[in-house]
Amino acid sequence: MTTDRPVSIQEQAMRFGTYMGVFWIIKFIFLPLGFSFPLLQLCFVLCTFFVPVLGYLYTRKFRNTCCGGTVSFSRAFLFTVCMYIFAAMLTAVAHYIYFQFIDQGFLMDMYRQQLNETMQMVQGDLANSMEQIMIAFDTVAALTPIQLTFQLISQNVFYGIVLSLPTALLTMRYKK
């Protein structure tokens, strides 16, 4: 039995947010593996730069398939923010599982090792800055897996809101 109800923003944002979240999870897998295989570190960086493009493509698809080719700025912005929130929620589950059961401090140890190597090469004022970075890093490393997950989810939502502004501006289209 089918109904002719309009497609809601939330329904479509959940669908595309799931796709984005799966992409983010795959992208996140490249991060720890990149310490063993440097090519995967490059893949992580490239995938990170592709996130706004993917957000634009999903918002454009929403506009063309669900909104009849026209969408206001506010509707496009709301859709994009919701999509990033749903993606962040899905990715948070993977982050928590990774940091609670898999990581065992590996990621923080690798970053600490890289920072220590960098500190040995710098001098002067840059060395003072590196010491401050190490103190900040030690604060992040002391977080529990759930605290780290909440930090990452809030960071992903913030960046999603920031990315939603230009995405909505680029995808809005009014009737002629």
Side-chain angles (χ1 to χ4, degrees):
M1 183 161 132
T2 62
T3 59
D4 290 334
R5 64 178 178 78
V7 178
S8 70
I9 289 178
Q10 181 181 356
E11 182 180 347
Q12 291 302 312
M14 289 172 83
R15 173 176 293 128
F16 289 113
T18 301
Y19 300 153
M20 180 76 77
V22 170
F23 177 76
W24 285 0
I25 291 169
I26 292 168
K27 178 179 79 91
F28 180 71
I29 292 170
F30 294 151
L31 182 63
L33 293 177
F35 288 106
S36 300
F37 306 101
L39 184 61
L40 293 179
Q41 195 77 15
L42 177 65
C43 289
F44 172 79
V45 171
L46 293 176
C47 287
T48 300
F49 286 130
F50 188 68
V51 166
V53 175
L54 193 60
Y56 168 78
L57 293 174
Y58 287 158
T59 307
R60 193 178 71 180
K61 185 168 181 146
F62 167 73
R63 177 194 70 200
N64 293 336
T65 59
C66 302
C67 300
T70 61
V71 67
S72 66
F73 170 80
S74 60
R75 189 171 169 97
F77 179 75
L78 180 63
F79 167 78
T80 311
V81 166
C82 289
M83 178 184 65
Y84 281 121
I85 288 172
F86 289 123
M89 289 175 14
L90 179 61
T91 308
V93 173
H95 285 158
Y96 179 74
I97 291 170
Y98 174 76
F99 288 115
Q100 180 68 37
F101 302 109
I102 299 170
D103 183 63
Q104 304 301 321
F106 171 77
L107 204 56
M108 295 301 172
D109 289 341
M110 294 305 290
Y111 278 120
R112 185 175 283 120
Q113 179 183 348
Q114 286 183 346
L115 284 171
N116 285 332
E117 290 172 4
T118 305
M119 277 189 69
Q120 293 173 357
M121 293 187 290
V122 298
Q123 298 172 355
D125 290 339
L126 193 55
N128 293 335
S129 297
M130 287 300 294
E131 287 177 24
Q132 291 175 351
I133 290 172
M134 283 298 284
I135 292 169
F137 181 78
D138 289 338
T139 303
V140 172
L143 295 175
T144 65
I146 193 73
Q147 290 171 327
L148 195 52
T149 301
F150 277 116
Q151 178 66 30
L152 290 171
I153 195 172
S154 63
Q155 182 178 339
N156 285 337
V157 169
F158 174 75
Y159 290 143
I161 292 169
V162 170
L163 289 173
S164 295
L165 288 168
T167 303
L169 284 170
L170 290 172
T171 56
M172 72 177 186
R173 186 175 292 161
Y174 294 102
K175 291 181 183 177
K176 294 181 180 179

